[in-house]
Amino acid sequence: MPGRGNQELGLSDAIQMQHIVKRFGDKVAVGGLDLVLPSGALYGFIGPNGAGKTTTIRMIMSIIFPDEGHLSVLGKKSATESKDRIGYLPEERGVYKKMKVAGFLKHMAKLKGLHAGASLTQKVNDWLERVELGEVAAKKCEELSKGMQQKVQYIASVIHEPELLILDEPFSGLDPVNQRLMRELFREQHDRGTTMIFSTHVMQQAEQLCDHIVMLNKGEKVLDASLDEIRAQHDPRTIAVELPTGSADADRLQHISGVKHAASVDSQFELSLHDDSQPQDVIREVVAA
């Protein structure tokens, strides 16, 4: 299913990648990747571990560089030229353990161009309250749990209000309550116009957040489409059911609400569904028939 990777590039695109290749010795980690992210988009990078997601993100961030191809980030040749406009939560978590939480966040904010003073102090305090860590400002980072440290690191990635935010496996290590809080925070960033990349190996997490999915496997792009396009192509309009012998026939099944046509195929029945029917509802009625 083609995405914008093969389309004409636009000046307003946040990221442009053309035939990006990255090798580590004899291993091709990313092979000939074409990808375009429009400004303001929320893209999910999904795929199994080792698929090339983190390698692609590290190239976008100019942590490593491609062996072949063209890459631009926020209109510049590399992220190093746009670093103050980018927020990044890496897969490898890390804070300055001996620093106090508020001091660490102020330090990270100043590295991104924010000025020290009362307004920055207030901003840090407001963010800590927002992530339910208002009481830890004076604690050392090493005194926090891993989940708390992760939320502190997230603040560091967004406190400068970036134009591009990249989140690599951001739910790793979080309990369900904090996962829900973080989803709310991610949506807030997107609602204010931030272009976002969310990397995960869990499709359900990507579905809950993203508008567009890019699936990588063994360094190759195998899917690049909006969620609506994916659902339209893969939403089952035909389902197969296997029932005990003599419990139903095609004529009887065809009269179930939502079923357009029923046919006996080998030991199963194939049911074609109306466009507005829900497969789970049809299955429920079949079982009850």
Side-chain angles (χ1 to χ4, degrees), residues 126-197:
D126 289 344
W127 261 112
L128 288 171
E129 290 289 344
R130 181 68 182 86
V131 301
E132 301 173 356
L133 291 178
E135 74 286 355
V136 308
K139 289 186 176 182
K140 291 182 178 179
C141 291
E142 66 181 356
E143 297 178 59
L144 306 184
S145 69
K146 289 184 179 180
M148 289 178 175
Q149 289 183 19
Q150 190 167 332
K151 290 197 282 187
V152 168
Q153 197 171 356
Y154 173 73
I155 296 173
S157 72
V158 298
I159 196 167
H160 59 298
E161 299 182 2
E163 296 175 40
L164 171 64
L165 178 60
I166 300 176
L167 308 165
D168 196 354
E169 298 285 356
F171 293 130
S172 176
L174 293 178
D175 60 51
V177 173
N178 280 310
Q179 286 187 23
R180 185 167 59 250
L181 171 62
M182 296 303 284
R183 279 197 298 271
E184 293 173 3
L185 296 175
F186 300 159
R187 290 192 185 100
E188 287 176 6
Q189 290 295 314
H190 184 234
D191 288 345
R192 74 173 186 83
T194 305
T195 304
M196 296 178 64
I197 295 174

Side-chain angles (χ1 to χ4, degrees), residues 37-58:
L37 269 74
S39 294
L42 175 48
Y43 269 48
F45 283 9
I46 69 168
N49 293 329
K53 304 186 302 295
T54 295
T55 298
T56 299
I57 286 173
R58 287 174 177 169

Side-chain angles (χ1 to χ4, degrees), residues 13-65:
D13 292 320
I15 296 173
Q16 300 176 359
M17 307 181 77
Q18 295 175 292
H19 196 71
I20 295 295
V21 176
K22 183 61 185 177
R23 304 180 185 90
F24 296 103
D26 295 332
K27 177 180 173 57
V28 179
V30 176
L33 178 60
D34 292 315
L35 187 64
V36 176
L37 269 74
S39 294
L42 175 48
Y43 269 48
F45 283 9
I46 69 168
N49 293 329
K53 304 186 302 295
T54 295
T55 298
T56 299
I57 286 173
R58 287 174 177 169
M59 287 190 286
I60 292 171
M61 289 298 302
S62 296
I63 296 171
I64 58 177
F65 296 91

Side-chain angles (χ1 to χ4, degrees), residues 5-112:
N6 297 319
Q7 297 180 11
E8 183 178 351
L9 302 180
L11 295 176
S12 63
D13 292 320
I15 296 173
Q16 300 176 359
M17 307 181 77
Q18 295 175 292
H19 196 71
I20 295 295
V21 176
K22 183 61 185 177
R23 304 180 185 90
F24 296 103
D26 295 332
K27 177 180 173 57
V28 179
V30 176
L33 178 60
D34 292 315
L35 187 64
V36 176
L37 269 74
S39 294
L42 175 48
Y43 269 48
F45 283 9
I46 69 168
N49 293 329
K53 304 186 302 295
T54 295
T55 298
T56 299
I57 286 173
R58 287 174 177 169
M59 287 190 286
I60 292 171
M61 289 298 302
S62 296
I63 296 171
I64 58 177
F65 296 91
D67 298 316
E68 299 176 22
H70 168 79
L71 169 64
S72 68
V73 181
L74 298 179
K76 304 294 184 180
K77 292 182 179 179
S78 75
T80 55
E81 299 179 48
S82 306
K83 62 183 181 64
D84 290 348
R85 300 160 60 197
I86 300 172
Y88 177 42
L89 181 65
E91 184 178 16
E92 305 82 9
R93 308 299 180 228
V95 294
Y96 297 149
K97 294 184 177 180
K98 297 299 181 182
M99 290 186 72
K100 293 182 178 179
V101 171
F104 167 74
L105 291 172
K106 290 177 185 178
H107 173 70
M108 298 302 292
K110 286 185 280 187
L111 289 178
K112 290 295 188 177

Side-chain angles (χ1 to χ4, degrees), residues 13 33 101 103 121 144 166 219 226-227 230 241 263 277:
D13 292 320
L33 178 60
V101 171
T121 298
L144 306 184
I166 300 176
S226 71
L227 270 179
I230 294 170
V241 295
S277 64

Side-chain angles (χ1 to χ4, degrees), residues 27 29 45-55 91 168-169 199-203 214-220 222:
K27 177 180 173 57
F45 283 9
I46 69 168
N49 293 329
K53 304 186 302 295
T54 295
T55 298
E91 184 178 16
D168 196 354
E169 298 285 356
S199 175
T200 180
H201 62 278
V202 182
M203 180 63 183
V214 173
M215 182 181 290
L216 301 176
N217 187 41
K218 297 181 180 179
E220 303 285 342
V222 296

